[in-house]
Amino acid sequence: MSKPSIGYNDTPMLPNSKWRVHDGKRPQPRRVIPGNNPSQPPSDAIILFNGEDTSKWVGRDGGPVRWKVENGVLIVKPGTGDIQTKQHFGDCQLHIEWAAPAEVKGEGQGRGNSGVFLMGRYEIQILDGYNNVTYADGTTAAIYGQYPPLVNACRKPGEWQTYDIFFVAPRFKGEKLISPAYVTVVHNGVLVHHHVELLGQTGHRILPSYKPHPPKGPIKLQDHGDPVRFRNIWIRELKGYDE
């Protein structure tokens, strides 16, 4: 008994594609088993922090990580420097959970401050923004120095918070920018950035701009002097539709 035919071979060609509309020969999506809840990694995720060690990370100047791991949680040790992943990534889906200190100290940028950097260059701000006013493009979940979040979705100090970040890396041809970076951010289940075009690399008190860099870079977590906690960090590499 012959198999039923799939799709069509006489439909129009899709623009900028080698496939027809409803093409029966187009590859099927690969199977990925989702986690039991949105926080759990799917089957194709790379676990960056599993609650046990920092083997996937390096510290200042490529040296050992001097942050603390206690009770399944990674804690910034102020003054020891940023950490970054050994593996580098381009287009990606990043899940990260963090908590500002339960004891409130300071205000504005001096309260529960850290950051997560895509490719080591493009920062999504981490800050205790609960009843804490600061400049809008530096508050919690801001694309630092560029765009405030659409809304403030902060939980109370000490409570665990979640970022789900969807990142499209910039493309360069030699020294020329061909396509800018784009980012979508979901904070505690709330969409706070929707496919935003980044203006360039993160900076402080400067206008962002692009500088050519490799197609992949590390995920970096910032030591900004506050004992911010992290857990359940995982990432998925994203590839094109026809790759």
Side-chain angles (χ1 to χ4, degrees):
M1 185 176 178
S2 61
K3 293 183 179 180
S5 60
I6 298 175
Y8 300 86
N9 60 12
D10 60 352
T11 49
M13 297 295 296
L14 288 163
N16 303 315
S17 174
K18 60 183 178 181
W19 306 110
R20 298 179 180 276
V21 176
H22 312 315
D23 200 321
K25 295 180 181 180
R26 195 168 187 174
Q28 295 292 311
R30 62 188 177 88
R31 169 69 171 148
V32 170
I33 302 172
N36 292 328
N37 61 63
S39 293
Q40 290 185 332
S43 59
D44 64 344
I46 298 168
I47 309 302
L48 298 178
F49 178 66
N50 60 5
E52 298 179 3
D53 58 54
T54 56
S55 59
K56 300 289 182 67
W57 302 78
V58 294
R60 178 184 286 162
D61 299 323
V65 174
R66 296 171 61 192
W67 294 13
K68 297 185 293 183
V69 177
E70 293 181 355
N71 301 318
V73 174
L74 178 62
I75 309 169
V76 178
K77 187 176 180 181
T80 62
D82 303 342
I83 67 172
Q84 65 182 41
T85 56
K86 294 177 181 178
Q87 187 171 347
H88 289 196
F89 305 93
D91 299 352
C92 65
Q93 173 188 351
L94 175 66
H95 175 92
I96 186 166
E97 297 174 19
W98 60 273
E103 181 181 0
V104 175
K105 293 182 178 180
E107 59 184 5
Q109 294 291 298
R111 188 169 133 187
N113 195 327
S114 182
V116 54
F117 289 75
L118 289 306
M119 306 188 84
R121 294 172 170 86
Y122 307 98
E123 182 185 10
I124 307 301
Q125 171 77 312
I126 290 174
L127 188 80
D128 178 6
Y130 187 85
N131 290 335
N132 178 34
V133 177
T134 185
Y135 44 88
D137 62 10
T139 194
T140 316
I143 300 170
Y144 189 81
Q146 300 186 37
Y147 302 103
L150 295 172
V151 296
N152 182 335
C154 277
R155 300 192 191 280
K156 295 179 180 179
E159 294 185 3
W160 283 102
Q161 313 207 44
T162 300
Y163 283 169
D164 288 289
I165 301 169
F166 307 86
F167 179 70
V168 178
R171 269 61 172 176
F172 297 92
K173 186 175 182 180
E175 297 294 309
K176 184 179 179 181
L177 177 69
I178 300 300
S179 177
Y182 293 89
V183 70
T184 296
V185 181
V186 178
H187 180 201
N188 294 329
V190 179
L191 182 68
V192 294
H193 296 288
H194 184 215
H195 196 60
V196 173
E197 178 181 326
L198 302 192
L199 303 177
Q201 298 181 191
T202 296
H204 181 56
R205 300 181 63 184
I206 61 172
L207 187 65
S209 62
Y210 282 99
K211 298 177 182 178
H213 58 71
K216 294 186 177 184
I219 302 300
K220 184 172 73 173
L221 300 179
Q222 185 182 44
D223 169 14
H224 200 281
D226 295 313
V228 175
R229 296 174 291 153
F230 295 92
R231 71 180 185 186
N232 195 21
I233 308 172
W234 52 264
I235 194 168
R236 297 179 63 243
E237 296 186 279
L238 302 181
K239 297 182 179 181
Y241 289 109
D242 296 325
E243 291 185 30

